[in-house]
Amino acid sequence: MEMFNDDDLTNGFDPEILLSVERFEEMVKKREHYYFEADELEEIFEFYYQQGQLDQAAQVADFGVLQNPYSAAFFIKQAQLDLSRGQFDAAFNHLNQAEIFEPTSFELYLMRGNIYDLTGNPKEAVKNLKIAEGFAEDQVDIVYSALASVFINWKKYNSAIYYLQLVLNLNPEAEEALYDISYCYFQLEDVEGGISFFQAQIDKNPYSDIAWYNLAICFNRLELYEKALEAFDYALLINDKNSLAWFNKANTWINLDAFSEALNCMYKSMDLEPGNAVVLCGIGVCLEKMERIDDALGWYNRALEIDPLLSDAWYGLGVCYELLGNYPDSISNLRKAVELSPESEEYWFSLAEALERDEQTEQALDAYQHALAVDLAYFEARIQLMNLYFRLGRADAAFQLFSEGQGLHAEEADFYYRAAAVLLRHNFEQEALVQLQEALILDFDLHLDFFIYAPQALENEKILNMLDQYRNQ
């Protein structure tokens, strides 16, 4: 058995427990049989379990069963170890043995419910957790949290919110419950409901930085960025050590194109979590947006030194190299990004653009198609692919792609402006006029964007006449 070292003394354990651990290890080493009180053995078990020394914890649990064969406690400890090792059948067996001796054990039904949840049987999970609730006494908030977790995994988010609110009624400072409620409202696509909830929560507890933080996240999802910044400010006024708040405040500034402010917030977040690769990548994003490309490359690489599987950092490298005109390195890094996150339409789209600029047209076609396979409604990819088909002389494929897009973007004026620009660029003037007319009907105010997409339209008399016609309506 591996003995604990002096560093273990700093882990907050009572010195008496450490003496008990020494005595247990002495017993094992001498291969003798000492007597321990059951409570003492449970404390020794917890010492090893919290240290992650599962083999030693198992020795304690087995010895506990041997010394206390009619006690449920050590069968439950064995089940706890089984659960940690993913040995669910063994855990059920040990819990069944525990139930024989203590059929009213709160821990037994709580653990059984958690195992049923992990093994995809939510009905049995709820059934057992409801039994646990009856025996929980002053630990009922733990049961409510477990029930909420089951309902989240079951995608029954309203039920999850109900139990999470019960947790908060018992413990208003339950931070994890607040984060989970935010997640549930997001999954329900009820951001307004989330805003109402967190505003009510703030009325009850105005000094909850987590409530202010989640309110800010809700505002961000509605693109109410100024309100989000205000809520982040309150969260950070209450707790300026909230790294997540600094990080997401930075992202809010990025959404407002205020990259210098975003960078300052990213640095604050990094000061609190210097080893967080996502934050280092965020600094790279800010610098990239500020056109400090060499600096951005350095931060993306620092992020990858910490987490080589961080797809956002590979993507950032790819974007930077493309901005530098280094398409081979851009493509290499973007390929790594899509390899790690094949469900990101944005990554596929950027890879397609880089391949197209590098004249690798067939591979570019494939990448655009991948972007659309991930998200059929990604009209930027549809427009670019349509343009590439026209470039390659595949007009039938381009028109087919456009026709499919009409059903998806019937009310989006920008789609028609962009399509009209592509058609005009490839000398399909009559078709371009038809789509331009559709765009003008949907939203005339966006017509200036059309000239960005198709500057040659400024010299087209038919187009200018059409604009005059709709301007005067």
Side-chain angles (χ1 to χ4, degrees):
M1 172 182 279
E2 180 185 341
M3 305 285 282
F4 75 89
N5 57 47
D6 292 341
D7 291 339
D8 296 323
L9 296 171
T10 66
N11 287 331
F13 289 97
D14 189 293
E16 290 188 11
I17 296 172
L18 299 175
L19 289 173
S20 297
V21 171
E22 286 184 345
R23 184 166 169 263
F24 184 84
E25 292 182 352
E26 178 186 282
M27 178 194 75
V28 172
K29 186 176 181 180
K30 292 183 175 180
R31 298 185 180 182
E32 296 181 357
H33 190 105
Y34 296 177
Y35 176 77
F36 292 86
E37 295 288 343
D39 289 348
E40 187 180 8
L41 280 175
E42 288 189 53
E43 290 175 340
I44 297 170
F45 174 91
E46 287 302 320
F47 171 84
Y48 287 126
Y49 189 81
Q50 290 182 34
Q51 301 288 316
Q53 296 175 279
L54 300 188
D55 290 341
Q56 290 87 337
Q59 281 188 300
V60 180
D62 293 344
F63 182 76
V65 168
L66 187 66
Q67 189 168 276
N68 304 274
Y70 304 111
S71 168
F74 293 101
F75 288 112
I76 293 173
K77 298 296 184 191
Q78 288 177 323
Q80 184 178 342
L81 288 165
D82 295 330
L83 181 56
S84 297
R85 293 165 170 160
Q87 298 170 350
F88 301 125
D89 289 340
F92 278 129
N93 289 334
H94 281 126
L95 291 175
N96 291 340
Q97 290 176 286
E99 190 173 7
I100 295 169
F101 302 111
E102 194 176 342
T104 62
S105 168
F106 153 73
E107 288 183 338
L108 186 159
Y109 293 104
L110 177 67
M111 192 177 299
R112 187 181 281 161
N114 287 335
I115 297 171
Y116 275 124
D117 184 26
L118 288 169
T119 53
N121 192 337
K123 290 183 179 179
E124 284 298 320
V126 170
K127 177 182 173 182
N128 278 272
L129 291 171
K130 286 287 189 181
I131 297 171
E133 181 184 0
F135 302 131
E137 297 179 355
D138 61 348
Q139 299 184 81
V140 69
D141 59 321
I142 297 174
V143 180
Y144 293 150
S145 292
L147 281 163
S149 178
V150 173
F151 285 116
I152 287 173
N153 292 334
W154 203 356
K155 303 188 187 307
K156 293 182 177 290
Y157 299 111
N158 283 315
S159 296
I161 289 171
Y162 169 77
Y163 281 105
L164 291 165
Q165 287 177 319
L166 292 180
V167 172
L168 289 169
N169 290 342
L170 294 168
N171 179 13
E173 302 298 324
E175 294 182 358
E176 189 173 341
L178 291 171
Y179 285 117
D180 286 344
I181 285 175
S182 179
Y183 172 80
C184 289
Y185 277 114
F186 177 69
Q187 293 300 318
L188 289 167
E189 298 183 0
D190 182 13
V191 181
E192 291 85 355
I195 288 173
S196 297
F197 171 81
F198 286 111
Q199 286 175 331
Q201 199 66 28
I202 287 165
D203 288 341
K204 296 177 190 174
N205 184 5
Y207 296 104
S208 170
D209 65 302
I210 306 303
W212 280 108
Y213 167 82
N214 281 291
L215 178 62
I217 295 297
C218 290
F219 284 136
N220 263 343
R221 286 172 180 155
L222 291 180
E223 299 183 6
L224 299 172
Y225 299 128
E226 298 295 344
K227 287 189 173 183
L229 288 172
E230 184 179 359
F232 281 130
D233 284 343
Y234 278 114
L236 291 164
L237 186 65
I238 295 164
N239 176 16
D240 65 356
K241 305 299 183 188
N242 187 332
S243 174
L244 270 177
W246 284 115
F247 178 78
N248 283 288
K249 184 180 178 183
N251 285 326
T252 306
W253 282 122
I254 289 173
N255 288 327
L256 291 169
D257 293 337
F259 305 121
S260 179
E261 291 86 348
L263 183 60
N264 288 334
C265 291
M266 284 293 182
Y267 282 141
K268 292 277 191 181
S269 185
M270 183 192 67
D271 289 342
L272 295 166
E273 293 188 74
N276 188 323
V278 174
V279 175
L280 302 187
C281 183
I283 293 173
V285 171
C286 295
L287 293 166
E288 173 199 319
K289 299 292 185 183
M290 297 168 73
E291 300 182 2
R292 293 168 54 183
I293 303 302
D294 288 339
D295 291 335
L297 287 170
W299 284 95
Y300 287 137
N301 280 311
R302 284 181 63 177
L304 289 169
E305 287 174 8
I306 296 171
D307 183 2
L309 302 181
L310 184 59
S311 58
D312 278 350
W314 290 106
Y315 176 73
L317 288 175
V319 170
C320 285
Y321 282 122
E322 184 175 3
L323 291 170
L324 293 172
N326 183 345
Y327 298 121
D329 282 347
S330 173
I331 291 165
S332 173
N333 284 285
L334 290 170
R335 285 198 186 283
K336 183 66 176 179
V338 297
E339 177 187 322
L340 292 168
S341 297
E343 297 305 308
S344 171
E345 67 273 21
E346 183 182 6
Y347 291 0
W348 281 111
F349 179 72
S350 293
L351 175 60
E353 285 192 309
L355 287 163
E356 186 176 0
R357 289 184 179 123
D358 201 40
E359 297 298 326
Q360 298 185 47
T361 52
E362 288 302 320
Q363 292 188 54
L365 285 172
D366 181 68
Y368 283 129
Q369 288 162 353
H370 267 96
L372 286 173
V374 174
D375 182 4
L376 269 176
Y378 191 13
F379 81 69
E380 288 88 349
R382 188 174 298 275
I383 293 294
Q384 287 291 88
L385 180 54
M386 179 179 157
N387 182 64
L388 183 53
Y389 277 139
F390 277 128
R391 275 187 57 208
L392 297 174
R394 296 168 62 178
D396 289 346
F399 280 114
Q400 176 64 30
L401 192 68
F402 173 70
S403 178
E404 292 168 358
Q406 284 181 296
L408 295 166
H409 308 289
E411 301 301 319
E412 296 180 59
D414 195 39
F415 173 72
Y416 290 97
Y417 281 120
R418 296 280 295 273
V422 170
L423 289 163
L424 189 64
R425 186 180 309 135
H426 294 282
N427 300 315
F428 291 92
E429 183 180 281
Q430 190 56 42
E431 291 84 352
L433 288 169
V434 172
Q435 304 315 321
L436 178 59
Q437 183 177 38
E438 184 67 29
L440 292 167
I441 291 169
L442 286 170
D443 191 338
F444 178 82
D445 291 341
L446 289 179
H447 74 277
L448 292 176
D449 290 346
F450 174 67
F451 293 112
I452 297 173
Y453 309 141
Q456 71 272 32
L458 288 166
E459 299 174 3
N460 187 304
E461 187 174 344
K462 291 180 182 179
I463 289 174
L464 296 176
N465 288 337
M466 182 181 286
L467 287 172
D468 287 338
Q469 176 188 343
Y470 281 93
R471 181 180 291 110
N472 297 324
Q473 286 187 357

